[in-house]
Amino acid sequence: MVKSLSQLLIACIMLSYTYSYSQKEVHLLLNQYIGNAPFSIGDGGTTDLGTKFNISRLDYYISSIKLHHDGGMTTNVSNKYIFVTKGKAVDELLGSFNIGLLDSITFSVGVDATSNHGDPTLWPANHPLAPKSPEMQWGWAAGYRFVAIEGKSGANLQFEYQIHALGDELYKPTTIKTHGTDHNGELMIAIDADYGQSMKGINMNKNVIQHGSLKEAISLMSNYNQNVFKATESISASHDIEVGALKIYPNPVVDGKVTIALTDEQILNANIIIRDGVGRITYQISNPTTLNEVSVEQNGFYLIELIQAGKLTYRGGIVKQ
């Protein structure tokens, strides 16, 4: 009898383990901004030192990804390199892993030392480390550009800057605490990248040309390690939403079409962002009018944000049934 109870207990524990740690696809989503405004090449902002700047080029790598989960376990995402370029949306499948509860994600901006000094022509043409245009590989000895950012700066954007950061000594890990979001059985890890933080502490009120691992390149990489990335705010139907004067109808949405009505004051210097239930940006409207009709495809909760002059001013939520 004791043996039977012991076997039953073990069976229950194993069954519990099976349900807790199941194979699931894990995606990394990267939402890209300058401040609160969605980022596109050519957009600009103001540094913490009060200097205006814009971005005409922004390319960088993400690698050495680790998933920390279930109270102390770590899963390495082996041989995964992500090339982030031109503000294009990132929805990267990291793989399928046994994860119950995600605690955090660690990654490094740049390329690990082993691959950093390899021959880029040996990679398949569609691989992130294959040759790029503009070039991302500086040469076998120096390795890849971890971040290449260029543009204009100054009160009248009269200065030119180019900061290409590279060098094994600048390759450091960044850890973001997040549980991610379960979406149809997949784990979605949504991260916000605010490129307005790229130039924090850097004097941009002059021409800045730095290709290497010194001065402004050190500050740039420090910002990418500490200031640029944060977890996307969790979104759910219970989210505390301040609707304000933002009018959204019909709600719930039945046929997928929804109208966002704005006042004359709300359309000034404005953008509209629509996020799905995992925080992924699904739709954007630049220079909205007083009546804006959009379509949402998948059932679920959506968050609608009104950004004015780079600041979040109104929020609203809809449900598509």
Side-chain angles (χ1 to χ4, degrees):
M1 180 68 176
V2 173
K3 183 177 181 181
S4 298
L5 288 174
S6 176
Q7 290 174 337
L8 179 61
L9 178 60
I10 292 173
C12 290
I13 291 173
M14 293 302 295
L15 182 61
S16 174
Y17 181 88
T18 300
Y19 279 110
S20 299
Y21 299 89
S22 58
Q23 282 273 338
K24 62 181 68 174
E25 288 191 350
V26 180
H27 291 251
L28 178 62
L29 312 176
L30 192 63
N31 299 312
Q32 302 176 72
Y33 300 90
I34 286 188
N36 287 315
F39 170 73
S40 298
I41 288 294
D43 290 346
T46 303
T47 71
D48 64 313
L49 301 179
T51 304
K52 291 172 59 179
F53 72 98
N54 64 22
I55 299 176
S56 59
R57 178 188 179 185
L58 178 56
D59 302 314
Y60 63 93
Y61 290 100
I62 291 175
S63 59
S64 294
I65 302 171
K66 298 179 180 180
L67 305 175
H68 310 288
H69 57 96
D70 300 301
M73 300 180 67
T74 295
T75 297
N76 294 323
V77 183
S78 302
N79 301 316
K80 188 67 178 181
Y81 300 92
I82 301 173
F83 182 49
V84 185
T85 181
K86 300 178 179 64
K88 294 179 180 178
V90 174
D91 182 345
E92 191 78 17
L93 175 62
L94 302 183
S96 295
F97 307 103
N98 290 322
I99 294 178
L101 177 63
L102 182 71
D103 302 312
S104 60
I105 180 172
T106 295
F107 57 86
S108 296
V109 173
V111 179
D112 58 279
T114 301
S115 296
N116 193 28
H117 305 287
D119 184 352
T121 64
L122 298 180
W123 295 101
N126 61 348
H127 192 276
L129 297 183
K132 298 288 183 287
S133 181
E135 290 184 345
M136 287 296 289
Q137 224 268 357
W138 190 266
W140 287 13
Y144 287 83
R145 296 166 172 87
F146 292 173
V147 179
I149 187 168
E150 301 176 3
K152 301 287 187 180
S153 62
N156 299 306
L157 299 177
Q158 71 271 35
F159 301 117
E160 178 183 357
Y161 73 87
Q162 294 182 9
I163 306 177
H164 296 182
L166 59 147
D168 294 335
E169 62 271 31
L170 298 184
Y171 188 74
K172 298 178 181 179
T174 295
T175 298
I176 306 294
K177 292 183 178 181
T178 175
H179 295 311
T181 304
D182 183 83
H183 184 66
N184 296 328
E186 299 177 340
L187 178 61
M188 316 299 284
I189 306 173
I191 302 294
D192 289 348
D194 178 6
Y195 301 135
Q197 298 292 321
S198 298
M199 306 303 179
K200 186 175 181 179
I202 301 177
N203 180 10
M204 302 296 293
N205 202 29
K206 60 178 182 177
N207 291 316
V208 178
I209 308 296
Q210 175 58 246
H211 296 178
S213 56
L214 301 173
K215 298 181 178 179
E216 291 86 1
I218 295 175
S219 298
L220 180 74
M221 289 304 299
S222 177
N223 287 330
Y224 274 78
N225 289 328
Q226 301 178 29
N227 302 311
V228 168
F229 303 102
K230 68 177 183 180
T232 300
E233 181 182 359
S234 179
I235 299 172
S236 69
S238 62
H239 189 81
D240 184 16
I241 301 169
E242 292 186 10
V243 176
L246 191 59
K247 295 182 180 180
I248 310 169
Y249 57 89
N251 192 13
V253 183
V254 178
D255 63 359
K257 293 183 179 180
V258 60
T259 297
I260 306 166
L262 304 179
T263 66
D264 290 337
E265 291 183 354
Q266 288 174 321
I267 66 175
L268 297 176
N269 200 10
N271 294 285
I272 294 173
I273 300 175
I274 300 178
R275 298 175 181 266
D276 65 11
V278 299
R280 174 173 44 200
I281 297 176
T282 60
Y283 201 84
Q284 300 178 34
I285 302 175
S286 300
N287 302 315
T289 61
T290 53
L291 292 177
N292 307 273
E293 186 178 275
V294 297
S295 296
V296 291
E297 297 180 358
Q298 301 296 325
N299 290 348
F301 177 80
Y302 291 84
L303 185 70
I304 300 177
E305 299 175 330
L306 181 67
I307 310 297
Q308 292 181 280
K311 295 182 179 181
L312 177 64
T313 55
Y314 294 92
R315 224 178 216 167
I318 57 171
V319 176
K320 181 179 184 297
Q321 298 179 339

